[in-house]
Amino acid sequence: MSKKGHFGGYGGQFIPETLYPAVRALEEAYPKIIKTKSFQSELKALLKDYVGRPSPLYKATRLSEAVGCSVYLKREDLNHTGAHKINNTIGQILLAKHMGKKRIIAETGAGQHGVATATVCALMGLKCVVYMGEEDVNRQALNAYRMKLLGAELIPVSHGSKTLKDATTEAIRDWMLNVDDTYYLIGSVVGPHPYPTIVRDFQAIIGKESKRQMRAMTGGLPTAVIACVGGGSNAMGIFHSFVKEKSVRLIAVEAGGEGLSSGHHSASLQKGQSGILHGAKSYLLQTKTGQVQLAHSISAGLDYPGVGPELSFLKDEGRMEVMSATDKQALAACQWVSRLEGIIPALETSHAFAALKQLKGSVKKSDHIIVNVSGRGDKDMETLMAHDKDTAS
């Protein structure tokens, strides 16, 4: 990071003047609060006893045989609420509590961040408002109901693409109108500084555990780490501890949608250009006139036209490889993993497994690959049933 709030030429604080006091207060409070004994002790206790950490690093025997090398699964799907999102919401809800905030707002795509936010708000007795695109409310109806059951007010967003981008825009608009009592609990490594750093820091536990577990199991480091990428929280969470380990390949897998040449995808790192969205500069899908281009993915959590600034930087530096998987490849990979390991991954995670499948034939038997299982597929049953004919390998 070349200067505070920036990763190379990415990041920053491109925000309306009305938000500067709130962002500045967060920027000043975060480094002070996280160093206190009370914050750290409560965070550690909740991660252990409430979330269920550490999550296992599991050697997937049948997947290993199918791919031709040793494959390990970081089981974030076994966390409370079923995904990695709870790591960040636990950390940020404690931050909001220490800052004296009484009302929490959030955006959500696949609904996992919304559920995780509603969960921690219920735990802390705080008012919770979640913005979710109408399209995502329909395709993630189970998670939409879970949020309501947990006591959150779910506000469907009916304009634009009716997906994560527009939900985020509405959450920011709410924050602008209610900065005094409201904490915006962002779900990914996006947004104005310090959010990309805050979210990465709370998700970095995934990589820290993986590194320690891999050394205990094999005596060394993995050959490669694979994670799906939308905004990028699960990817930065597992990549962060390995960035300085140059021998470890970091493979980010974007949603290829209907194909990278189709114009219907969410591959901002491969098909985007530097631009500004939701308060930060990063790779962004744009039209020729500079307007934000609509993204597409069968997985609601990857259906976003931008990506975190740190991931943009890692791509430019050549430290991170970028692959993609189409909707059909993700569906097929979901079935592949389900039948080989008895683990039904979320459609977001299925993109990472599709990339693993693409590596078959290029790996060595001595390789050790970690796949971050960012979430479980319970929420995707309706989508999977609707596309059943497309899931054949």
Side-chain angles (χ1 to χ4, degrees):
M1 196 162 71
S2 59
K3 57 181 178 178
K4 189 170 72 169
H6 289 79
F7 303 89
Y10 303 104
Q13 294 175 333
F14 297 87
I15 54 177
E17 189 175 343
T18 52
L19 281 184
Y20 268 108
V23 171
R24 186 60 186 272
L26 179 61
E27 186 180 352
E28 292 177 351
Y30 173 65
K32 295 176 183 177
I33 290 172
I34 62 167
K35 291 176 183 176
T36 63
K37 288 184 179 180
S38 60
F39 180 92
Q40 285 298 325
S41 62
E42 193 169 4
L43 177 63
K44 288 176 183 177
L46 286 170
L47 288 173
K48 177 179 179 290
D49 300 326
Y50 191 71
V51 177
R53 303 209 70 89
S55 64
L57 184 68
Y58 163 71
K59 184 172 183 181
T61 305
R62 297 191 69 204
L63 266 179
S64 298
E65 292 173 354
V67 175
C69 68
S70 296
V71 176
Y72 301 81
L73 309 182
K74 184 55 173 166
R75 298 294 307 277
E76 294 299 295
D77 58 314
L78 296 180
N79 292 341
H80 178 43
T81 72
H84 70 292
K85 294 292 187 180
I86 191 75
N87 305 322
N88 171 52
T89 60
I90 284 285
Q92 286 202 61
I93 202 71
L94 290 178
L95 183 57
K97 177 183 166 185
H98 279 256
M99 292 178 71
K101 301 296 184 180
K102 303 297 183 184
R103 178 176 179 268
I104 307 299
I105 60 172
E107 83 298 330
T108 196
Q112 287 302 123
H113 175 60
V115 169
T117 302
T119 297
V120 297
C121 285
L123 177 67
M124 297 293 174
L126 296 175
K127 180 176 176 59
C128 179
V129 177
V130 180
Y131 290 89
M132 188 176 190
E134 269 189 356
E135 168 110 0
D136 294 337
V137 171
N138 292 331
R139 59 179 169 176
Q140 298 292 337
L142 176 62
N143 273 346
Y145 178 72
R146 289 171 77 193
M147 284 179 257
K148 294 176 184 177
L149 185 63
L150 288 160
E153 178 185 357
L154 180 63
I155 301 180
V157 178
S158 59
H159 59 78
S161 63
K162 304 178 185 179
T163 58
L164 181 57
K165 176 181 75 70
D166 306 289
T168 304
T169 299
E170 286 305 308
I172 292 173
R173 185 174 287 125
D174 182 317
W175 193 26
M176 288 171 61
L177 297 173
N178 301 282
V179 292
D180 292 337
D181 69 336
T182 296
Y183 182 93
Y184 181 17
L185 204 162
I186 287 183
S188 197
V189 285
V190 298
H193 173 71
Y195 278 112
T197 299
I198 290 174
V199 178
R200 180 205 66 198
D201 288 352
F202 288 137
Q203 292 293 2
I205 192 169
I206 305 172
K208 291 174 185 175
E209 287 179 3
S210 298
K211 197 174 191 179
R212 183 170 63 248
Q213 291 165 327
M214 178 59 74
R215 280 179 167 151
M217 294 172 76
T218 70
L221 296 169
T223 308
V225 178
I226 304 176
C228 64
V229 170
S233 62
N234 93 91
M236 275 315 310
I238 197 165
F239 288 168
H240 187 56
S241 288
F242 295 102
V243 168
K244 293 182 180 178
E245 307 289 354
K246 302 300 184 182
S247 65
V248 181
R249 294 172 65 188
L250 305 179
I251 303 174
V253 188
E254 295 190 299
E258 296 173 10
L260 296 186
S261 61
S262 70
H264 299 98
H265 56 73
S266 298
S268 53
L269 286 167
Q270 294 172 89
K271 291 294 186 176
Q273 302 172 49
S274 179
I276 297 169
L277 178 65
H278 297 141
K281 183 181 286 188
S282 67
Y283 271 96
L284 175 64
L285 295 177
Q286 303 172 66
T287 65
K288 291 181 179 179
T289 58
Q291 299 300 306
V292 178
Q293 185 176 313
L294 292 181
H296 163 77
S297 174
I298 195 170
S299 55
L302 302 184
D303 195 352
Y304 186 67
V307 66
E310 189 167 6
L311 288 161
S312 299
F313 173 69
L314 291 177
K315 189 242 184 182
D316 279 4
E317 290 291 291
R319 180 62 191 92
M320 181 182 74
E321 303 170 42
V322 184
M323 296 178 65
S324 65
T326 64
D327 291 345
K328 287 187 176 181
Q329 287 173 323
L331 287 164
C334 182
Q335 184 185 88
W336 182 57
V337 175
S338 299
R339 296 183 177 183
L340 280 178
E341 292 293 342
I343 296 169
I344 303 174
L347 279 173
E348 291 77 17
T349 308
S350 297
H351 287 72
F353 281 118
L356 175 70
K357 200 173 184 181
Q358 291 173 42
L359 293 177
K360 182 180 178 181
S362 65
V363 296
K364 296 181 292 187
K365 189 174 182 180
S366 59
D367 287 342
H368 298 273
I369 297 176
I370 297 177
V371 179
N372 194 18
V373 186
S374 56
R376 62 178 180 239
D378 307 39
K379 67 182 180 61
D380 295 315
M381 287 301 110
E382 289 187 7
T383 301
L384 290 166
M385 288 188 290
H387 291 83
D388 188 62
K389 65 181 183 300
D390 297 326
T391 60
S393 303

